[in-house]
Amino acid sequence: MIRIIKKKVEVSAHKARRVIDQIRGRSYEEALMILELMPYRACYPIKKLVYSAAANGIHNLGFNEASLFIIKAEVNEGPTAKRLKPRARGRSSMNKRRTCHITIVLKDISLDEYEYRDYLDC
């Protein structure tokens, strides 16, 4: 099992959760296909994160790429960057740039355990 965390991704947590909900509990290859075809901006950093986690598992721990599953994927809110935007008559308004922290956990599941997917927390 390998866990990877990316902090301060410049996407709001609500928009990233929309994408993460689609790949939770799926296989690695299926998740990459889904992320490649979805039209949202949050897909690119999530795809890079899933790919990086799988590469670390394959290289460092000897995982098999065909039996990798995403068993946990969550998005938490990160710090909000506050910027001032000039407005009419010398006034200004607050512009909030929201960020999020993305956590993905991959697990190598052998063929015997493939039938018993009840432990996946979907």
Side-chain angles (χ1 to χ4, degrees), residues 15-23 35 38 40 42-43 46:
K15 293 176 183 177
R17 277 190 202 107
R18 175 174 58 183
V19 176
I20 285 286
D21 290 341
Q22 299 296 319
I23 65 168
L35 290 172
M38 287 181 79
Y40 303 120
C43 291
I46 294 172

Side-chain angles (χ1 to χ4, degrees), residues 1-2 63-64 67-71 105-109 113 119-120:
M1 185 164 67
I2 189 161
F63 286 168
N64 184 7
S67 61
L68 282 177
F69 276 82
I70 299 173
I71 61 169
V105 180
L106 291 176
K107 187 169 185 178
D108 189 5
I109 299 175
E113 296 174 349
Y119 63 89
L120 292 176

